[in-house]
Amino acid sequence: DIVMTQTPLSLSVAIGQSASISCKSSQSLKYSDGKTYLNWVFQSPGQSPKRLIYQVSKLDSGVPDRFSGTGSETDFTLKISRVEAEDLGVYYCCQGSYSPLTFGSGTKLEIK
Amino acid sequence: EVQLVESGGGLVQPGRSLKLSCLASGFTFSNYGMNWIRQAPGKGLEWVASISSSSSYIYYADTVKGRFTISRDNAKNTLYLQMTSLRSEDTALYYCARRRMDFDYWGQGVMVTVSS
């Protein structure tokens, strides 16, 4: 199984500052179709998860451009520039390239 | 608007069975692969099972293989998860999510509690 290692496990950031979350996979996530199915999913307190980014760097509709995803093969990063109060919650990376689909353990973003 | 609405959860004794449903609307259900993903209380997300659009391809997590069965009825726009031989460790909020490889929409979840 592909292991997704997220760091840090928690992050405390002041409003207006930036935040960065790392996600490393135990093997390359490039699928046979040439695409890399690395997604970032956000869960605000008490809510169901919501996808923010798919295929490493593509933002979902309605997601502010303060969010960006980068990376390739096994190393990926989610960056949030100019953190806002609504960004409070848990961020998960997840891979959909190979079964079993696996998630990182999550990064809890707190507002300082 | 894409909507996924789970139902069928509840309190069940260990060893018993339960069947979850996920009613889809706002899109052509038969065109999309679907997933079940769960979240134990206070824990992270765990993928449970996936099914392709025509049910040709089905995948399970090792933790549920042989006990859970994913299925779908495209005429009813509904995804199912039949759960048997339930264990306390199956206690979780169960979500259905669209698109097998990149989970673009999620339901609000349904709670399953396995306890005597």
Side-chain angles (χ1 to χ4, degrees):
Chain A
D1 297 1
I2 295 177
V3 177
M4 306 296 288
T5 303
Q6 260 184 262
T7 54
L9 293 183
S10 66
L11 203 49
S12 183
V13 180
I15 299 291
Q17 297 302 302
S18 65
S20 184
I21 301 170
S22 170
C23 177
K24 295 184 189 297
S25 58
S26 58
Q27 65 187 70
S28 173
L29 300 184
K30 183 172 281 189
Y31 189 57
S32 55
D33 63 4
K35 298 177 182 176
T36 300
Y37 292 92
L38 185 282
N39 313 289
W40 290 96
V41 169
F42 169 63
Q43 188 173 33
S44 60
Q47 300 299 309
S48 60
K50 170 190 167 185
R51 194 183 70 177
L52 299 176
I53 289 173
Y54 63 102
Q55 291 176 33
V56 182
S57 60
K58 299 179 181 180
L59 260 64
D60 271 286
S61 175
V63 174
D65 60 8
R66 303 183 289 102
F67 290 86
S68 62
T70 59
S72 64
E73 303 288 349
T74 61
D75 282 329
F76 306 94
T77 301
L78 173 69
K79 183 168 182 182
I80 312 170
S81 60
R82 306 183 307 281
V83 165
E84 297 186 3
E86 65 187 25
D87 301 335
L88 154 81
V90 182
Y91 294 82
Y92 297 92
C93 61
C94 54
Q95 67 85 17
S97 294
Y98 299 102
S99 188
L101 312 183
T102 46
F103 290 82
S105 53
T107 296
K108 186 174 184 178
L109 177 64
E110 299 174 329
I111 304 299
K112 193 182 291 183
Chain B
E1 178 194 4
V2 171
Q3 285 200 310
L4 299 168
V5 180
E6 301 93 338
S7 61
L11 174 63
V12 61
Q13 293 180 326
R16 303 299 290 265
S17 300
L18 202 61
K19 187 172 186 177
L20 306 183
S21 300
C22 169
L23 178 62
S25 61
F27 65 101
T28 304
F29 181 67
S30 58
N31 287 350
Y32 290 86
M34 299 292 294
N35 304 277
W36 286 101
I37 295 160
R38 68 184 180 183
Q39 187 171 35
K43 302 296 184 182
L45 299 168
E46 179 191 16
W47 170 78
V48 173
S50 297
I51 187 168
S52 63
S53 57
S54 60
S55 305
S56 298
Y57 301 98
I58 289 175
Y59 306 90
Y60 296 100
D62 284 345
T63 51
V64 307
K65 199 175 294 183
R67 300 187 300 122
F68 290 11
T69 302
I70 188 172
S71 63
R72 62 191 297 159
D73 185 335
N74 286 344
K76 295 183 177 179
N77 290 342
T78 303
L79 174 73
Y80 301 103
L81 186 68
Q82 176 70 56
M83 304 183 292
T84 64
S85 303
L86 282 161
R87 307 167 180 168
S88 57
E89 54 264 38
D90 296 318
T91 293
L93 192 56
Y94 284 73
Y95 297 101
C96 62
R98 193 181 79 162
R99 287 182 65 93
R100 192 177 76 79
M101 300 169 89
D102 49 21
F103 327 116
D104 61 349
Y105 287 93
W106 298 60
Q108 85 290 349
V110 62
M111 189 68 201
V112 173
T113 303
V114 184
S115 175
S116 54

